[in-house]
Each structure stands twice: as structure tokens, then as C-alpha cells.
Amino acid sequence: MGWAVKLEQAAAGYGRQIVLQGINLQVEPGEFIGVIGPNGAGKSTLLTLINGLATPCKGTVRINQQVLTKQNRRELCKKIAYVPQSTWVDNRLPLLVKEVVLMGVYGKLGLGRYPGAKERDLAEEMMGLVGINSLQEKPIGQLSGGERQKVAIARALVQEPEILLLDEPTASLDWRAGQEILDLIYRIQQRFKLTTFLVTHEINQLPHWCSKMVLVKKGQIVGVGKTEELFHQHILSELYGIPLKIIHDQGQPTVLYGRG
Amino acid sequence: MFELLQYQFMQNAVLASVLGGAACSLIGVLVITLNLSFIGTCMAHAALAGAILGLLFGFPPLGMAFIFCCLAAGMIGPLADKGKFRPDTALAIIFSLMLGLSFLFLNMLSGPKTEALNLIWGSILTVTGSDLVIMAITFLLVCGFILFFFKEIQTIIFNRQIAAALGIPAQIIYYGALFLIGTTITSFFTSIGGMLIFSLIVNPAAAAYQLTYSLPKMFILSALFGVSSCLGGLWAAYIFNVPAGAVIIIVSVLIFFSALAVSPKGERSLFTLWCKCRGEIWDKKLDYKLNN
């Protein structure tokens, strides 16, 4: 089977500052990858390298065997859905939820073409899937953080992607809303078998869901492997630079923060 | 007023008001929703500096204004986009440069400076047939851009990073919008005035922004407010014998404050207060019915 995503000696940065370097990563289609690491490690940049928003200053990024270049970036990224970290939206913005969800098809439609009944039905279906049908006529700026993340996920699904990139989708959400979003992501991944990258600090959820984990620290990948291989007290403690303790609750490993 | 319409200059002024009001306020929706307010002010002053330079050296003022607008857009875009320092600092520097150049060129003009001052305050009553052709072309260009790129504009307004991630040429359309703002300012600033045109771009769109959550409706409302401001200003200028450009701006500001007062979006607007009062009256009626 070919690789869905393959990074070879990739490096990226902003201006003269290198944020990621020497990145080697191979991901098979349908894998669910959990990307973890401390703040500023380069996790978000890793996602933007994959969807072409960041240009590698060294090495190559391959999507479905094709090398990602400036020339084919726009074409390739139509297959990659991206849910960025929750951003501030003006509560007066003249955009409705259904319009934001429909944006998912705009890249594929191309310039000068407008969404028809097929695209609108797809948007309706995805809004139903993530449970925001009742919100579709609401202004986007008036939603709660959790609702806005559901809209972002619906927009990503409308894109009918092969790869789904999620950048801390539960950041700034309360526990219940965060759990709802993570459950939703898991259901979607299982249903559509999307190659999924989930950047998260909710590491306790990873053993249940992720087939693989990528550990990022100081701009480098310091560990890639199956979740059960990497989900160990000393590995995670070293990654985050604080003592962590793993206990097993009903057979499930759970990370506790604090003096181990 | 109506008897004046038999005169060619007044017919031209009314046509310029409709075209200018509509084009400026349509482009204003992009300016407001893309948070480009200060960029537009900067470009209006660039156009002014270019036009006065044209007068100084005997080049066509409109052409020079257009070149300066494009230069400003070319400098402002990258600076505001990925500058090494804060975008507002970069804009403030270019704005002050353009303002300084305007005054410098104005000072260098020998003899009476009437023509240059007309560029600052505008003169809608002296619009010629060829001016109207340029205005009509610009109006069509603005409408065409908005209609053709509507869904891309919508996405960029929401989030430029998401637009780029979806494969939308966000950068090209953003720079296209900047270029179009420059073109619109150039086409209309001799009639409305270099100092005043930007108010006509911002105020109607800002008023429309208060009233709707629908982007298509915002474009329509903004165009209506822009045309009303121009026609209202023209009428008031005739009645009270005052400069049309200045009155147009005052009318547009009055429309903005009226929209703000009745905005369903504002917590303290008259509309919201009225809804709250109605709610309280309704609650009292309900209490009365329940208690009796």
C-alpha cells in the first residue's frame, strides 16, 4: 500500500526562524495519528507543512506519492481538510453557519462556479452528521466555541477529503464540549476511514483512538510509533519536561499531571 | 431640484452620484469586512499625492493618481500581510509619506491652486461625459469582481488561512481587492474629493454592517446607502448652497448613526431596547393573566 503522507528530511519555518527540521514521517491511508508535544514544539507547523500552507525550506512532502510543490499545492490541498485552532470571529460578521459549511466545496468548485443542489445537499447531510442542523441559519459569530468547532468539522467533511488535519480542536473548550468534539472526530474517522492527524493536549484520549503517535519536541520528531509503545510514563514525562504518572483505571491508561 | 435636471451638468452630477455612491459603497463592503479601513485611507491619500504631482508636471492627474494607488497597494499589501513589524505601523508610515507628498506637491504648485484644491474637496457639478464613462466602467468592474468572486470573497472574509487551505487563490483575490479599491478611489475622487471619498467608501458599508447578517444583503444595503448619501448630499447642496462633497459625507455619517441606533446587532441600540421593552411588557401581561 502507498503512503498517504510522506515527509523526508522536511524543514520549515517563519522568516529566518526554523521551527521544524529533519522531519521524516510516513503515514498509511486511513491511519489515525495523534500528534503531541509541548507548546511551541512545531505541531501546528507540521500540519501546515502537510497541507502546503507552510513551504518546506528543505526536504520534501509527498501527498499520495506526489511531491507537494508551489505549482500543485492548490490542487493537492483540495484533498486535505484543515481544521485550524479556534480563532476569534466578529459576532457581527455577515455569514451564516450554512454558508461557512458550504465553503468546504468552494476550492473544488473553482473560480466562477457556484454551488448547486448537490453541494447544498452534501452540506445539509454533514451538518446533520455533526449535529448542527438547527444552527444553520444562525450567524457564525454567535456560536459557542464548541458549536464553532462542529461547524469547522462539518466544513472539513463537505470538502470530501482524503486527509483530515485537526489542530487542537478542543482548545479553550470545557470538558463536556471537548469530549463531544473528540467523540465526533473519532466517529467520523471510523466512518470515512480518513487519514487523520490530531494535534492535541488531551493525551488521555489517544490510547483509545489513535493507531499511531507522533511526539514533537523543539522542532523535531522525537518519537513515532504505536500508541501502546509510546504511552509510557518516562517517555511522556521527558516529552513535556514535567513528571507525569500513568495509572490504569479499568484497564485504560490515564495520565495524571503532577509530581510522579 | 427637478427643474435643474434639464441642465446637462446636473444630469451628469446625478449620474455620477448614482455610479459613485454605488461603486464606492460596494467596494466599502470589502474594506469593512476585510478590515482594510486604514489601507483605504492610505490609498486615498496616495491618489491625491499622485494627482497633484500630475498637475505639477503636466501629466494627466487621473493617470498619476492611478499609478500612485497601485504603488501604494503594492507596498501596503505585502507590508500589511507579512511585514516584519506590525501592519498598522507600516500603514501609518506610508500614510504619513503620502500625506507629506500631497502637501509638498501642493506647495510646489505655482499660481492659484484651485485645480489642486478641487481634487481635495471634489466637484461633482463639473463631471464631464468622459468622467462618466470612466465611472461607469469602474462601476461595472466592481460589480463584475464581486459577482465573479463572490464565494471566494465570502471565504476570505471568514478566514484567509482557511481559504488558502481550501485551495482558493486567497492571496490573488486579496490583492485584487486592494487594486480595485485603488481603481475606485482614482475614478471617483475628482468628483467626490480626495479627502472625502474614503468616508463614502467606509460609512455606507459600516451602516449596512450594523443591519444584516447576510453578505448579499449587506452589499445591496450598502449600495442603497451610498446612492442615497450622494443624492441627498446633492439635494442639500442645492437647497442650502453648500459644497456637495462635504454634505454627502455628513449624510452618510447620519445614515451610519441611524443604522447604529436601530441595529439588531447592538446591545444598546434602539431596536434592542424596543425588543427588551416589548419583552418586559409581554412578561407583565403574562404575569397579569397568570395571576388573574
Side-chain angles (χ1 to χ4, degrees), chain B residues 2 30 49 54 61 63 74 113 116 123-124 138 160 179-181 195 197 202-203 222 236 248 255 259 270 280 289:
Chain B
F2 288 107
L30 299 182
K113 298 176 170 55
S123 160
I124 204 160
T138 308
R160 274 176 72 193
F179 176 77
L180 203 59
I181 294 167
M195 287 285 192
I197 188 165
V202 170
N203 297 351
S222 182
I248 286 170
I255 290 176
L270 291 178
E280 279 170 18
K289 277 185 184 173

Side-chain angles (χ1 to χ4, degrees), chain A residues 185-233:
Chain A
I185 291 166
Y186 182 62
R187 275 194 290 123
I188 285 164
Q189 203 276 337
Q190 291 296 300
R191 178 168 166 176
F192 297 103
K193 298 290 174 208
L194 299 174
T195 309
T196 304
F197 287 78
L198 171 66
V199 169
T200 185
H201 290 299
E202 305 281 337
I203 50 179
N204 280 324
Q205 305 293 341
L206 300 183
H208 309 297
W209 298 343
C210 295
S211 47
K212 211 186 244 182
M213 270 167 69
V214 174
L215 315 185
V216 186
K217 191 177 184 180
K218 292 180 180 169
Q220 288 182 322
I221 291 181
V222 292
V224 183
K226 289 186 176 169
T227 311
E228 55 270 23
E229 291 167 3
L230 295 175
F231 212 78
H232 291 292
Q233 200 163 297

Side-chain angles (χ1 to χ4, degrees), chain A residues 74 90 92 110 113-114 142, chain B residues 147 151 209-210 213 265:
Chain A
R74 224 178 275 153
D90 182 1
R92 297 175 176 220
R113 288 182 61 208
Y114 283 88
Q142 291 183 2
Chain B
L147 287 173
K151 68 182 196 304
Y209 196 68
Q210 307 305 321
Y213 287 107
K265 298 182 179 182

Side-chain angles (χ1 to χ4, degrees), chain A residues 16 48 51 53 73-75 77-78 80 82 84 87 89-96 99-100 103-115 139-140 142 155 159, chain B residues 33 35 84 146-152 154-159 161-170 172-173 209-210 212-216 218 260 263 265-267:
Chain A
R16 286 181 191 169
T48 55
N51 74 357
L53 284 181
R73 190 202 77 82
R74 224 178 275 153
E75 256 339 284
C77 74
K78 288 173 187 170
I80 307 169
Y82 176 53
T87 48
V89 178
D90 182 1
N91 61 6
R92 297 175 176 220
L93 199 68
L95 287 173
L96 303 178
E99 292 169 330
V100 174
M103 284 172 190
V105 296
Y106 289 175
K108 277 189 179 171
L109 274 178
L111 296 176
R113 288 182 61 208
Y114 283 88
I140 187 72
Q142 291 183 2
R155 187 192 63 237
Q159 203 179 331
Chain B
T33 51
N35 297 319
K84 286 179 183 169
I146 292 167
L147 287 173
F148 191 77
F149 294 115
F150 185 78
K151 68 182 196 304
E152 286 79 16
Q154 220 178 15
T155 315
I156 292 166
I157 286 170
F158 177 59
N159 188 313
Q161 194 193 24
I162 289 171
L166 285 167
I168 288 170
I172 295 170
I173 291 167
Y209 196 68
Q210 307 305 321
T212 179
Y213 287 107
S214 152
L215 191 61
M218 188 180 164
L260 196 64
S263 168
K265 298 182 179 182
E267 281 177 18

Side-chain angles (χ1 to χ4, degrees), chain A residues 10 12 22 42 46 92 127 144 146-147 156 158 160 168 171 178 183 214 249:
Chain A
L46 178 65
R92 297 175 176 220
M127 283 191 282
S144 68
E147 288 169 337
V158 166
E160 295 182 308
E168 293 189 40
D183 286 341
V214 174
D249 179 29

